[in-house]
């Protein structure tokens, strides 16, 4: 059994945001799926990013039918499934990363069905024990949170909800009232995937959210380059890069290390 | 003012959260949650407006050709020597299947909501054709997602959709069948939700779709219940319908929900047999099917131990789907409806028998329901009655059947 880190869960995220805020920048949380391009390489990619100084992780649990994902993550998670990725192996991976000294907060990101199949309560307990700090389920709106809410509260794990440009005031209030850890802000009306430009109405969208919630805001979807990172580093409390890093992962661990390093440099510059 | 086209009781499920007992709900990305709320309100408003019922009812009479008849299958009944078999003839609805009922209903709703871009998914192509037809009639832009495996086995319907002015978008991901077409349609909706209406074709998906699709299909059972009493002087001992997502079945079952003497029988695709593992019988093979979440709803889902969705097999594209509408899961749990299966082989046999004895070529989907009637009728007395929902006609399946049967 791994020794428990202190702090863990929601507290670990609070500490992460406080440290980034002190440095006057947003926290950077890369997304990477377990099992892509192989189990071993995904572990090494995450370790390389940890060493490059990222602030936290979204650890992707592959699913056969990822309806919120674009072609890059669809293809990568398909490869991961062919490599034999399972929920069990994803948890094992977190355990190994902790054993190898990765200290940053880690959020498990996976669609509802594999987690339900594993057992929601058992999943939250085992994820906590493995060393994860929270949970992002892209097809679980606050209305259906009851599937995970009690277990997460008991284990002190963050249960992350999303808001999108289409979310109205009522839904912003709903997510805010239920949020623990942070709110995942979907930057655009669409699915995941690298984009050349950030959406031009981003400032007003973030402003609209800030006016109704004081929860930390973490921006994701479409953020791909150091230039994007510079644009958002003072706008939000954190940001996520997924598809661009996954694409780099296809080229090898070195490419991931390089892109993650340039993103870290961009927010610290 | 005529009777309302869609009739609902206050006791009818789903509840306000979209649940039928423990099944249903809304498991979708946040981006489309507001659109589901908007759809829910627009639909509630529409069915509270007699003009909406009147408009839909008018189109169904003058365009679809409703009511569709109920036919006494005399020679089939005689050959089996048991229960009287009656067929509800959805194959005679315009476009050749029940799918048009829902396509017109949702199409009118889309128009009321001011949405001009319509997307849909299709498996067998019947919902795609129904939607393309309704959109041609209503003057709306239509895009249909279809897996490339289904495109290959349902060529005539692909051509029909194109003729009707729809764009057919091939889906190459996953198993390249209905499941993947729904994934792709949902991704499109997530991206274009502000301008787009997703015209979902079966009684599945996030709330309010299972309720709305059932309501638009409930005309099948409402008509059939009156017709069978007028023609046979009694209610059926059992209603039989095939179940893929389950829209024709729920449309038939709904009107009979309070008739305790009428059994409700859903027939799933047994494919190459349960033991082969190649089937789409969600309720029959509880080793690989259990409650789970797919395409926004909680229902029975065929999945491996790790919760990954399994690929299914059926000779009929319309039944080739790893989950089932949540209301069916609920009816099964209540033991109000019973679910059985017919294999590819049994469906093919029924396909030929009905063609030869009644001069009706059924869709391969509907042939599954006919197969169950063929099994069941000989065990029942001659004064008993089976009502089979013949949900579509088989012209679209001729290529498949010719290649299998070597006629």
């Amino acid at each position: 059994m791994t020794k428990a880190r202190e702090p863990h869960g929601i507290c670990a995220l609070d500490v992460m945001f406080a440290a980034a805020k002190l440095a006057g920048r947003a926290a950077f949380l890369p997304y990477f799926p377990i099992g892509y391009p192989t189990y071993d390489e995904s572990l090494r990619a995450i370790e390389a990013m940890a060493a490059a100084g990222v602030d936290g992780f979204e650890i992707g649990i592959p699913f056969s039918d990822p309806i919120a994902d674009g072609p890059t993550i669809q293809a990568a998670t398909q490869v991961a499934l062919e490599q034999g990725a399972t929920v069990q192996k994803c948890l094992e991976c977190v355990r190994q990363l902790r054993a190898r000294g990765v200290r940053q907060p880690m959020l498990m990101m996976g669609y509802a069905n594999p987690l339900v199949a594993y057992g929601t309560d058992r999943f939250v307990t085992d994820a906590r024990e493995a060393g994860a700090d929270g949970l992002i389920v892209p097809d679980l709106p606050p209305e259906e949170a009851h599937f995970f809410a009690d277990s997460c509260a008991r284990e002190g794990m963050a249960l992350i909800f999303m808001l999108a440009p289409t979310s109205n005031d009522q839904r912003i209030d709903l997510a805010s009232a239920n949020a623990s850890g942070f709110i995942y802000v979907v930057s655009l009306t669409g699915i995941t995937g690298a984009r050349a430009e950030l959406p031009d109405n981003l400032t007003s969208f973030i402003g609209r959210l800030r006016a109704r919630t004081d929860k930390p805001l973490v921006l994701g979807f479409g953020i791909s380059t150091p230039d994007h990172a510079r644009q958002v580093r003072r706008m939000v409390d954190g940001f996520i890069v997924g598809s661009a890093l996954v694409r780099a992962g296809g080229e090898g661990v070195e490419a991931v290390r390089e892109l993650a390093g340039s993103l870290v440099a961009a927010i610290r510059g | 003012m005529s009777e309302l086209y869609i009739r609902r009781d206050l006791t009818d499920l789903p509840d306000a959260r979209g649940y039928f007992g423990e099944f249903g709900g809304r498991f979708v990305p946040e981006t489309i949650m507001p659109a589901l709320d908007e759809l829910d309100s627009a639909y509630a408003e529409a069915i509270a407006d007699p003009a909406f019922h009147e408009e839909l009812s008018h189109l169904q009479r003058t365009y679809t050709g409703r009511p569709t008849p109920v036919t006494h299958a005399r020679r089939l009944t005689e050959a089996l020597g048991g229960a009287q078999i009656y067929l509800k003839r959805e194959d005679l609805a315009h476009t050749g299947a029940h799918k048009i009922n829902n396509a017109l209903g949702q199409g009118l709703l889309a128009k009321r909501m001011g949405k001009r871009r319509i997307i849909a998914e299709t498996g067998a192509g019947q919902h795609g054709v129904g939607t393309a037809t309704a959109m041609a009639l209503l003057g709306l832009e239509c895009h249909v997602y279809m897996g490339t495996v289904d495109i290959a086995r349902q060529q005539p319907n692909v051509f029909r959709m194109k003729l009707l002015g729809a764009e057919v978008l091939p889906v190459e991901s996953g198993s390249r069948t209905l499941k993947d077409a729904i994934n792709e349609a949902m991704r499109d909706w997530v991206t274009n939700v502000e301008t787009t209406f997703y015209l979902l074709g079966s009684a599945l998906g996030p709330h309010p779709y299972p309720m709305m699709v059932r309501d638009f299909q409930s005309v099948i059972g409402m008509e059939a219940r009156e017709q069978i009493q007028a023609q046979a002087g009694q209610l059926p001992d059992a209603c039989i319908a095939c179940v893929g997502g389950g829209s024709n079945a729920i449309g038939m079952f709904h009107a009979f929900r309070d008739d305790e003497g009428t059994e409700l029988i859903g027939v799933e695709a047994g494919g190459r047999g349960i033991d082969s593992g190649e089937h789409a019988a969600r309720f029959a093979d509880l080793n690989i099917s259990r409650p789970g979440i797919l395409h926004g709803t909680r229902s029975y889902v065929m999945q491996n131990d790790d919760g990954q969705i399994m690929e299914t097999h059926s000779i009929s594209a319309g039944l080739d789907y790893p989950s089932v509408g949540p209301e069916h899961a609920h009816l099964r749990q209540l033991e109000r409806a019973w679910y059985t299966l017919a294999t590819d082989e049994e469906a093919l046999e029924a396909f030929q028998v009905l063609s030869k004895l009644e001069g009706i070529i059924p869709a391969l989907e509907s042939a599954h329901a006919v197969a169950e009637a063929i099994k069941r009728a000989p065990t029942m007395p001659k004064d008993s009655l089976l009502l089979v929902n013949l949900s579509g006609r088989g012209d679209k399946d001729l290529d498949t059947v010719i290649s299998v049967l070597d006629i």
Side-chain angles (χ1 to χ4, degrees):
Chain A
M1 192 154 151
T2 340
K3 207 162 45 172
R5 287 170 313 127
E6 285 301 333
H8 92 281
I10 296 168
C11 300
L13 291 168
D14 290 346
V15 170
M16 175 190 79
F17 286 121
K21 195 171 186 180
L22 206 60
R25 61 173 178 85
F28 165 36
L29 298 97
Y31 162 92
F32 209 83
I34 299 308
Y36 180 74
T38 63
Y39 180 77
D40 184 55
E41 281 172 280
S42 60
L43 249 73
R44 287 198 289 126
I46 293 165
E47 261 191 295
M49 290 190 275
V54 307
D55 299 291
F57 290 98
E58 263 186 76
I59 304 290
I61 303 172
F63 180 49
S64 53
D65 296 81
I67 55 168
D69 284 306
T72 307
I73 292 177
Q74 278 178 51
T77 49
Q78 190 56 40
V79 168
L81 289 174
E82 284 157 17
Q83 296 281 326
T86 60
V87 173
Q88 186 79 52
K89 279 190 183 163
C90 292
L91 292 175
E92 180 52 35
C93 166
V94 170
R95 201 171 288 123
Q96 281 192 36
L97 289 166
R98 290 296 182 218
R100 293 187 198 180
V102 174
R103 308 288 297 170
Q104 287 93 333
M106 285 193 226
L107 297 144
M108 307 304 292
M109 173 148 188
Y111 289 84
N113 198 58
L115 310 185
V116 168
Y118 188 91
T120 53
D121 193 61
R122 180 175 157 230
F123 176 77
V124 173
T125 309
D126 289 0
R128 155 88 160 93
E129 187 273 327
D133 300 288
L135 191 54
I136 305 176
V137 187
D139 54 349
L140 190 84
E143 284 86 341
E144 306 290 357
H146 52 99
F147 277 84
F148 293 93
D150 289 350
S151 327
C152 283
R154 187 192 65 223
E155 299 290 338
M157 296 269 275
L159 182 56
I160 308 298
F161 297 109
M162 298 186 163
L163 284 172
T166 51
S167 305
N168 52 29
D169 287 353
Q170 191 190 338
R171 297 204 58 80
I172 296 170
D173 294 347
L174 181 68
S176 184
N178 286 278
S180 57
F182 60 84
I183 291 173
Y184 189 136
V185 180
V186 178
S187 73
L188 47 83
T189 306
I191 53 179
T192 62
R195 266 76 166 182
E197 306 282 339
L198 295 179
D200 46 18
N201 53 1
L202 203 50
T203 314
S204 65
F205 173 39
I206 298 297
R208 189 160 69 85
L209 299 180
R210 291 280 194 215
R212 295 196 80 87
T213 181
D214 53 4
K215 294 283 170 18
L217 302 180
V218 174
L219 190 68
F221 285 42
I223 304 166
S224 335
T225 65
D227 187 45
H228 292 165
R230 273 187 288 273
Q231 289 176 54
V232 304
R233 68 180 170 177
R234 294 206 171 83
M235 188 191 294
V236 286
D237 305 291
F239 66 94
I240 294 160
V241 177
S243 296
L245 285 163
V246 172
R247 205 160 52 195
E251 293 163 30
V253 175
E254 258 331 293
V256 175
R257 189 197 314 276
E258 200 175 306
L259 178 55
S262 66
L263 289 160
V264 168
I267 50 172
R268 295 193 175 167
Chain B
M1 184 66 227
S2 58
E3 261 190 327
L4 289 183
Y5 179 79
I6 294 162
R7 280 169 255 162
R8 281 207 314 224
D9 294 344
L10 287 172
T11 52
D12 280 342
L13 290 172
D15 63 21
R17 291 163 53 243
Y19 274 84
F20 303 87
E22 59 178 90
F23 302 104
R26 275 184 182 171
F27 297 85
V28 294
E30 169 66 21
T31 310
I32 55 177
M33 285 297 286
L36 291 171
D37 283 337
E38 186 193 355
L39 181 61
D40 200 21
S41 328
Y43 178 61
E45 219 169 83
I47 60 167
D49 177 2
F52 181 76
H53 293 257
E54 188 46 49
E55 194 178 5
L56 182 52
S57 175
H58 176 78
L59 282 180
Q60 289 281 49
R61 282 195 313 272
T62 62
Y63 186 73
T64 310
R66 300 209 75 90
T68 59
V70 162
T71 302
H72 187 188
R74 288 179 198 279
R75 293 192 66 215
L76 179 64
T77 299
E78 253 170 55
L80 296 168
Q84 304 299 310
I85 298 174
Y86 284 77
L87 308 170
K88 175 61 173 168
R89 300 292 306 280
E90 291 302 291
D91 61 315
L92 293 177
H94 179 45
T95 73
H98 72 290
K99 293 290 187 187
I100 188 77
N101 301 326
N102 173 51
L104 282 174
Q106 286 195 46
L108 285 180
L109 184 60
K111 211 163 178 174
R112 265 178 92 95
M113 292 172 74
K115 308 263 183 185
R116 302 206 56 86
R117 180 177 182 271
I118 309 298
I119 56 169
E121 81 296 334
T122 198
Q126 290 303 105
H127 173 56
V129 168
T131 305
T133 301
M135 295 315 110
L137 176 72
L138 300 173
L140 302 174
E141 183 193 328
C142 180
H143 308 269
V144 182
Y145 288 94
M146 188 171 189
T148 51
V149 168
D150 290 337
I151 287 178
R153 59 181 165 177
Q154 302 287 344
Q155 271 300 319
N157 274 345
V158 175
F159 187 61
R160 274 187 198 108
M161 285 184 268
K162 289 180 179 168
L163 261 182
L164 293 160
E167 183 190 15
V168 178
L169 300 155
V171 176
E172 284 287 357
S173 59
S175 57
R176 294 171 286 151
T177 58
L178 178 58
K179 160 179 94 78
D180 311 284
I182 297 177
N183 287 342
E184 226 32 63
M186 289 187 100
R187 289 182 188 118
D188 181 315
W189 203 32
V190 169
T191 306
N192 302 299
V193 61
E194 279 156 277
T195 58
T196 298
F197 186 101
Y198 181 15
L199 208 160
L200 187 51
S202 196
L204 45 84
H207 177 65
Y209 284 104
M211 167 183 82
M212 195 167 67
V213 175
R214 175 200 67 201
D215 289 352
F216 287 136
Q217 293 295 0
S218 61
V219 65
I220 301 172
M222 284 194 295
E223 286 176 5
R225 194 170 176 282
E226 282 177 22
Q227 290 164 319
I228 197 80
Q229 291 180 97
Q231 288 173 236
Q234 65 185 91
L235 285 169
D237 293 277
C239 290
I240 304 177
C242 65
V243 182
S247 71
N248 90 80
I250 208 73
M252 172 64 98
F253 293 174
H254 197 60
F256 294 91
R257 62 197 181 283
D258 296 326
D259 297 322
E260 285 173 17
T262 302
E263 265 191 281
L264 306 175
I265 312 288
V267 187
E268 298 185 282
R272 300 194 174 99
I274 294 300
D275 296 339
S276 73
E278 294 179 47
H279 60 80
R282 291 71 39 106
F283 292 135
D285 192 350
L286 300 181
N287 290 321
I288 53 174
S289 182
R290 16 176 225 289
I293 292 159
L294 181 66
H295 295 146
T297 193
R298 183 169 190 276
S299 183
Y300 274 75
V301 180
M302 288 176 61
Q303 51 187 306
N304 70 13
D305 289 343
D306 197 47
Q308 306 299 336
I309 310 306
M310 307 233 327
E311 294 193 1
T312 51
H313 164 81
S314 170
I315 191 164
S316 67
L319 304 184
D320 202 350
Y321 181 67
S323 187
V324 58
E327 193 166 6
H328 286 292
H330 180 60
L331 291 174
R332 178 179 175 275
Q333 192 166 61
L334 293 178
E335 300 189 347
R336 177 63 191 94
W338 302 91
Y339 296 84
T340 179
L341 58 89
T343 62
D344 288 352
E345 205 177 314
E346 289 166 336
L348 277 166
E349 177 65 24
F351 181 92
Q352 296 170 86
V353 166
L354 197 70
S355 299
K356 287 198 178 111
L357 291 184
E358 298 294 340
I360 298 171
I361 302 175
L364 278 172
E365 290 77 13
S366 322
H368 286 70
V370 176
E372 176 61 19
I374 290 173
K375 283 182 213 171
R376 202 172 268 257
T379 68
M380 297 170 69
K382 288 188 175 168
D383 61 354
S384 59
L385 198 159
L386 291 176
L387 176 61
V388 177
N389 194 20
L390 205 75
S391 55
R393 70 179 187 213
D395 307 50
K396 70 183 176 61
D397 295 313
L398 294 183
D399 285 349
T400 306
V401 175
I402 288 164
S403 69
V404 178
L405 290 183
D406 204 21
I407 297 173

